[in-house]
Every structure is written in C-alpha cells, then in structure tokens.
Amino acid sequence: MRVYNFSAGPAMMPLEVLQRAQSELLDWGGSGMSVMEVSHRGKAFVACAAQAEASLRRVLGISDDYAVLLLQGGALGQFAALPLNLTAPGQRAAYLNTGDWSKKAIAEARRYCEVDVAADESASNFTRTPEPGSFTVDQASAYLHYTPNETIRGVEFGYVPDAGAVPLVADMSSTILSRPVDVSRFGVIYGGAQKNMGPSGLVVVIVRRDLLGRARPQTPTVWDYTVQAGADSMINTPPTFAIYLLGLVLDWITELGGLDAVAARNKAKADALYSFIDASGFYSNPVAPEARSWMNVPFLVADPSLEKTFVAQAEAAGLTNLAGHRSVGGMRASIYNAMPPEGVAALIDFMKEFERTHG
Ligand code: PMP
C-alpha cells in the first residue's frame, strides 16, 4: 500500500511519475534496456537530457541568458562551488542567515572567502525572515546568498531580496518548482532534486552566463560552471536515471497546468494545515505568518511527551515521516508538490482525532 510520505527529502514522488518509470523500466523507448543501462553519450540519452533541460526552461521560464547545469554532489557541494566559481581570492560574499541551511552555507563559504552576514535571524530563533529593506548589501560583494525556504524550521521568504547590482544567489532546494519565480532577478539558482524535482543524486544549477569564466583554478572540474556549461554537464557520467526522472516530473507539472496551477494547489494545502493548527489550542507553529513555508510545516503539541506517540500512531495510519528534524524535535509535515491535497486532508483528520483522544 502507498502511504502519504511527509518526509523532508528524499520526498514523495508523484504516483504518475513512478508508474510511468515502472512501465518503461525494462525496455526504455524500444532500446531493450532500462534508461539506467544506456550510454550517457548515446543519441537516446543525450536527447532525454536535452528534453529535461528544455522542459525545465519552459516550466520555470529560464531564458538563454542562463546556463542550466545538471550536476552531482547535492546542494552541499554547491555551498563550496559557489565561492569557488564566483569569488576572486580576497573578495567578500554576503549571506542572509535565516536558519540551519543558511548557517551551513555560510560555514562552507568561509573556507574559501570572507563572508559578511548582512541579516541574521538567530535573535528571533529563526521564526521570521528579515523585513524587506532592513539590511544593506555591500555593493563590492561577489554575490548575496540566501535560502528562500529553510527546510528544517519551515521559514520561507515571501519576497525576493533586493541585492542592488550584486548577483543574487538562491538555494532553492526545498522550494524550486513550488510556485513561479522571476528567474531574471537571480544570478544563480540551485537546488538538490530530492524534494520537488526527482530523486537524490542530482543538483540543478541555473547560472547567468555573464557569471561564467570566473572560477578559481583549484575549482574541482566537476563543479566548474564554465567547463560544465561548455560540455552540456557531461564532462563525466551524469546521474542519468535522476535526469530522466526530472524530465518525467516536469511532464507531470505541465499536465497539472504549470507552476501557476501548482502554486494554487500548494497554497491551498498549506493554508488548510496552518489554519487548522492556528485554530487549535493543542497544536502550534512558531513561525511568523508572513514567513510560513508552503513546503515544510513544523508543529508542536502542547505536551511534548506525546510526540513519540503522535509519530507512531500517524505512521500506523499511513502518514509517515512526521518527526521533526533531529536538531529541533517536534513534528514536521513536508508537503511538497507531489503530496496530494488528499494527503493533507488525511493528516488534518488524523490530528483532529489525536487531539480528541489525547488533548
Ligand atoms: N539546502 C537546503 C535548503 C536543504 O533543504 C538541503 C537538504 N535538506 C540542503 C541544502 C542540502 O542538500 P543536499 O543533501 O542535496 O546536499
């Protein structure tokens, strides 16, 4: 039986995508092989990768001013690749600190360049995003980095920060493809695939072409944006199965009606869950309403000793992976694109019943 999987990532995949992959697993496009078994340099796979890229460009609205790179090493690899590709030795980079992933990105960048933290939400215990206009960005910075959606505490920017003329860099791992974005506002957008784009093992990097050509000589070749942009991300074997699945996920999004339709569906799911939590005296969410994530919804129960029981009973009811991140505890429901509205409704019903029996 399929469960409703609320994991933060690797996360639930759309059922239609899994079924399609299953149906062509043994014989992909008449090749007599799985897509996993074909050469990445063969005509069929090269076309498959090109189509996944073309679909991503169409769905997200990415112009030819940007290169799309399909790489490995996860978003964590990009935490190092960014300063290596974008800063000259001695140059500074600016970061907004809005939570656990921002902090990790800052710590990794500090191994390669000087970092200015332009805004820091640690004083609010990461329950808000900085007010627009409340921070300044040194215009000599190589870039301004931020995390539009903090996966662990469920904090999401409701606006795109203004970096002036400094290239804006966004770790969109847990929000990419959840709603439309104006790509032209960004210098670099990147994200691990395992939440809204497909399985783990693939990281997508969208980089404005005028930022190419700046990599430091010691940049690992696999992460050198300029080299990879010049080689269709195929200087070595790419994550072929993940790229194939990215293409199927983008077909699924297109069939749903594109990102406007996906955004409406995600907003409705998030609104339903947050309004239920807010109306209850038993559950709570600490995040400021304007900064609440559409994708990751952390919540607490009035009596923390009930957390283990909640998670175990939910699991038994087919609602899995609801424990909060190990660093913060509590519960967290990740409701990415592939979580159907029925899954959120089932969670709310379960929460009501749990409150009735334990509240
Ligand atoms: N950034 C964010 C916002 C994330 O949620 C994650 C993973 N949960 C990462 C970075 C790290 O990604 P990866 O595991 O792909 O390296």
Side-chain angles (χ1 to χ4, degrees):
M1 190 197 82
R2 292 276 299 166
V3 295
Y4 291 122
N5 174 11
F6 293 90
S7 169
M12 196 165 176
M13 293 276 288
L15 182 61
E16 295 84 344
V17 167
L18 295 177
Q19 285 170 333
R20 165 99 187 264
Q22 183 182 43
S23 76
E24 50 195 33
L25 190 66
L26 301 187
D27 181 7
W28 180 62
S31 63
M33 286 181 258
S34 156
V35 63
M36 276 180 262
E37 301 165 287
V38 304
S39 164
H40 62 291
R41 304 214 184 271
K43 221 169 142 184
F45 186 78
V46 168
C48 170
Q51 204 180 338
E53 178 183 331
S55 300
L56 187 67
R57 285 183 180 278
R58 178 173 39 74
V59 167
L60 260 182
I62 307 169
S63 79
D64 283 342
D65 295 343
Y66 291 79
V68 172
L69 311 178
L70 304 176
L71 308 179
Q72 302 189 54
L76 191 64
Q78 292 307 306
F79 290 175
L82 286 164
L84 285 167
N85 276 278
L86 300 180
T87 65
Q91 199 183 9
R92 305 176 77 85
Y95 279 69
L96 305 183
N97 180 15
T98 55
D100 308 79
W101 290 108
S102 305
K103 275 198 274 188
K104 284 202 163 75
I106 290 167
E108 191 71 1
R110 284 201 162 122
R111 304 178 64 195
Y112 304 99
C113 68
E114 295 293 325
V115 168
D116 296 320
V117 178
D120 191 332
E121 279 300 335
S122 45
S124 75
N125 201 21
F126 303 115
T127 54
R128 329 171 325 164
T129 48
E131 292 282 322
S134 66
F135 53 88
T136 50
V137 181
D138 180 347
Q139 292 298 297
S141 311
Y143 58 86
L144 171 68
H145 180 281
Y146 83 117
T147 312
N149 185 66
E150 283 283 356
T151 321
I152 293 179
R153 292 170 203 257
V155 174
E156 185 158 19
F157 278 77
Y159 68 99
V160 175
D162 183 3
V166 169
L168 184 60
V169 175
D171 172 5
M172 289 203 188
S173 294
S174 51
T175 181
I176 194 162
L177 299 178
S178 69
R179 57 172 93 186
V181 316
D182 178 0
V183 173
S184 72
R185 298 277 309 269
F186 296 86
V188 180
I189 291 171
Y190 67 99
Q194 64 271 21
K195 294 131 183 354
N196 266 343
M197 295 191 285
S200 61
L202 167 67
V203 56
V204 174
V205 182
I206 302 161
V207 51
R208 215 170 61 209
R209 291 189 199 275
D210 67 328
L211 297 173
L212 297 176
R214 305 181 182 193
R216 296 196 203 172
Q218 70 269 40
T219 307
T221 315
V222 288
W223 286 339
D224 185 316
Y225 296 165
T226 314
V227 172
Q228 288 285 28
D232 290 331
S233 309
M234 286 219 199
I235 62 156
N236 66 338
T237 317
T240 52
F241 194 58
I243 292 170
Y244 154 79
L245 284 168
L246 168 66
L248 297 192
V249 167
L250 289 160
D251 289 348
W252 175 77
I253 287 177
T254 305
E255 272 159 38
L256 277 180
L259 291 188
D260 286 323
V262 165
R265 188 173 116 121
N266 285 332
K267 181 172 188 313
K269 281 163 18 188
D271 282 351
L273 189 48
Y274 286 115
S275 0
F276 169 72
I277 290 170
D278 286 346
S280 126
F282 185 71
Y283 301 102
S284 64
N285 168 286
V287 180
E290 71 282 1
R292 284 175 171 179
S293 169
W294 286 6
M295 297 283 100
N296 312 98
V297 182
F299 57 92
L300 298 168
V301 277
D303 173 2
S305 72
L306 288 173
E307 284 171 10
K308 277 204 168 68
T309 317
F310 180 98
V311 170
Q313 291 188 358
E315 177 107 27
L319 309 169
T320 68
N321 290 308
L322 281 162
H325 190 268
R326 59 189 185 280
S327 64
V328 295
M331 268 76 69
R332 173 178 52 170
S334 293
I335 50 174
Y336 297 113
N337 287 351
M339 175 60 66
E342 297 75 29
V344 174
L347 173 61
I348 293 172
D349 284 346
F350 173 82
M351 290 168 76
K352 278 185 192 154
E353 182 58 16
F354 189 84
E355 177 175 357
R356 198 181 63 75
T357 47
H358 295 85

